[in-house]
Amino acid sequence: MSREGKIYGVGLGPGAPDLMSVRADRLLRGASHIAYFRKAGRAGRARAIAEGIMPQTATEIAMEYPVTTEIALDDPAYNRALSEFYAAQAARLAALSAQGRDVVVLCEGDPFFYGSFMHLHARLAGAVPVEIVPGITGMSGAWTASGQPITWGDDVLTVLTATLPEDELARRLRGTDAAVVMKIGRNMAKLRRACETAGRASDAFVVQYAQMPQQSVTRLSDAPESVPYFTILLIHGQGRRP
Amino acid sequence: MSREGKIYGVGLGPGAPDLMSVRADRLLRGASHIAYFRKAGRAGRARAIAEGIMPQTATEIAMEYPVTTEIALDDPAYNRALSEFYAAQAARLAALSAQGRDVVVLCEGDPFFYGSFMHLHARLAGAVPVEIVPGITGMSGAWTASGQPITWGDDVLTVLTATLPEDELARRLRGTDAAVVMKIGRNMAKLRRACETAGRASDAFVVQYAQMPQQSVTRLSDAPESVPYFTILLIHGQGRRP
C-alpha cells in the first residue's frame, strides 16, 4: 500500500506573490495537485496569486462555493449548504490523500485566521495528514500599506468583522486603542455609522486591495460606500513611544 | 551627488528562516549593509534567523539596547535612555543613506506590529527613503503551532500585552471571543491570575518559541511560571462554523 498523501494548507499572504513565504513558494513550485476556493464563474483570488509560481502541469481542484451572498447568513439553508459543501470538498481531498497524492490548498492571508480552509481542516485533522504553513495576514498587508504602525507599547488591538451588529461594533471601537475591521463589503454604511458613534471616524483609514496593483488607502471620510468584501478598516494605536 | 540609499524594515516572520517572505529573502541575500537590534552581549534573535541567508560579506550594524529590564518601564530615565538610543541609531542609518547605501533592518515578526523598528521609522520617515516589508507575525506562528484556528465566523480577537494591569487583563479576556497575549516574560503569574479571574484559564494555551526548533505548546495549567519574553498565550475563538 502506498503512503498517504499530505494536505497542505498554505498561506499565500495578502496579495503580492513575493509576499508568500519561502516555504509556501517552494511547496507551490513542487506541487502536483493544487486546490483552491472560488466563487462560481470567477477565476479565484488565491489562484490568481499563485499564477506564475505553480507548475502549469499541476492538476487543479477548484472548490466552488455553493452560495455566498444569495442566502442570508442566519438562514439555516445557508449553513446546511455550506456544511455539505465543506464535507464534499474534504472527502475529495481525503480521497486524493488515500491515493498517495500530496495536495497544496491555496489560502489567502493566513490559513488559521478567518479562513475557509479551517472548515476543511476541522473535517480532515486526525484522519488525514495535514500541515499548515502560516502566511502574512491581509491586515498586516493593510497596515503596511497605510505607512503607519498599528500598535505601540501596551496598545490593545481589537480585530472585528463588519458583520457584527452596529451597536457592538461601536462599543468595541470605543473601547480599544487600535482596531482592524475585516469583511466589510456591503457593511460599509453600518461600519461608518459605528465609527461615528464611537468617536473614532476621524482616526479611521480604509485600505482596498492591500499589496495588490490596485491598492488604495484613504481616510474613512473619503472612502466610497461601495467597497469589495476584502476591504479593511484600520484605526492605528497611539501608545507609548520613547 | 550619489542617490540616497533606502532603509528597508524587513519582517523576518516568527522564527523559521523559510517563513520569511520571498521578498525578504531576496533583499537579505542581496544586502550589503544589515542592521539589527540586540541586547548587549547577546547574538540577537533577528540576526540568528538571518544567519545562513544574509551574505557573509555584509557590513553588520548591531544596535544594542541601552536598557531592557534593568530600569522600570515607568521610570522617566527608561524613556530618556531609549529615546536617545533610537535617535542615535536613526542618525546612523540616515548617514548610511546619505552615502548612497541601502540598509536592510532585520525585524522579528512584522515590523509594524509591536516592533522596535517602528521607533526608527518614526524618526526616519519623510526624511530618508524607507520601505517596509511585512512579515508573518509571531502570533500567527503561535496559533499555527497550536494546531487550531484562532478565529471563526464573527469572532472578536483581542490582542493584549501582559504588561497591562491585572484587572484590565481580566476584563479584556472576559469580554472577547479569541485572545492573544504578547510580551509575557516576567508577567506570567499576573497573567495566570487574570485568566482565572476571567474564567478563561481552562481555554488558554501557552506557546514558547513558536516555529523554532525548541517550540513548545502547553495548556496554561501545565505552563511553567518562568517563561521567555516572547512567549504567547492563546485563547481560540469558538465562533460560527458550518
Side-chain angles (χ1 to χ4, degrees), chain A residues 77-113:
Chain A
Y78 176 84
N79 207 57
R80 198 165 52 238
L82 275 181
S83 179
E84 287 168 5
F85 166 68
Y86 287 123
Q89 303 309 320
R92 229 170 141 189
L93 299 185
L96 286 164
S97 166
Q99 294 164 25
R101 307 294 187 192
D102 292 338
V103 184
V104 168
V105 184
L106 306 178
C107 306
E108 292 160 72
D110 181 89
F112 272 180
F113 185 63

Side-chain angles (χ1 to χ4, degrees), chain A residues 67-80 82 163, chain B residues 154 240:
Chain A
V67 284
T68 47
T69 52
E70 299 86 4
I71 307 182
L73 273 178
D74 52 1
D75 185 333
Y78 176 84
N79 207 57
R80 198 165 52 238
L82 275 181
T163 48
Chain B
D154 297 340
R240 191 183 67 240

Side-chain angles (χ1 to χ4, degrees), chain A residues 14 16-26 73 78-80 82-83 86 110-115 118-119 121-123 132-137 139-141 143-144 146-161 163-164 168 171-172 175-177 183 211 240-242, chain B residues 14 16-26 73 78-80 82-83 86 110-115 118-119 121-123 132-137 139-141 143-144 146-161 163-164 168 171-172 175-177 183 211 240-242:
Chain A
D18 68 346
L19 288 180
M20 77 178 68
S21 68
V22 170
R23 190 182 300 172
D25 181 86
R26 194 182 64 234
L73 273 178
Y78 176 84
N79 207 57
R80 198 165 52 238
L82 275 181
S83 179
Y86 287 123
D110 181 89
F112 272 180
F113 185 63
Y114 300 109
M118 291 157 34
H119 303 295
H121 179 264
R123 289 164 173 85
I132 304 297
V133 178
I136 298 174
T137 56
M139 67 182 181
S140 274
W143 64 58
T144 300
S146 78
Q148 290 180 62
I150 192 70
T151 49
W152 300 82
D154 298 339
D155 278 339
V156 174
L157 169 66
T158 303
V159 183
L160 303 167
T161 63
T163 48
L164 289 170
E168 183 172 0
R171 179 175 65 81
R172 300 266 184 189
T176 191
D177 300 312
K183 304 187 183 182
Q211 309 299 329
R240 193 185 63 239
R241 55 193 84 180
Chain B
D18 69 346
L19 289 179
M20 78 178 66
S21 69
V22 170
R23 189 183 301 174
D25 182 86
R26 193 181 65 235
L73 274 179
Y78 175 85
N79 206 58
R80 197 165 54 240
L82 275 182
S83 180
Y86 287 123
D110 181 89
F112 272 180
F113 185 63
Y114 300 110
M118 290 156 34
H119 303 295
H121 179 264
R123 289 164 173 84
I132 303 297
V133 178
I136 298 173
T137 56
M139 66 182 183
S140 275
W143 65 59
T144 301
S146 79
Q148 291 180 62
I150 192 70
T151 48
W152 300 82
D154 297 340
D155 278 338
V156 174
L157 168 65
T158 304
V159 183
L160 304 168
T161 64
T163 47
L164 289 170
E168 183 171 1
R171 178 175 65 81
R172 300 268 184 188
T176 190
D177 300 312
K183 305 187 183 182
Q211 309 300 329
R240 191 183 67 240
R241 56 193 83 180

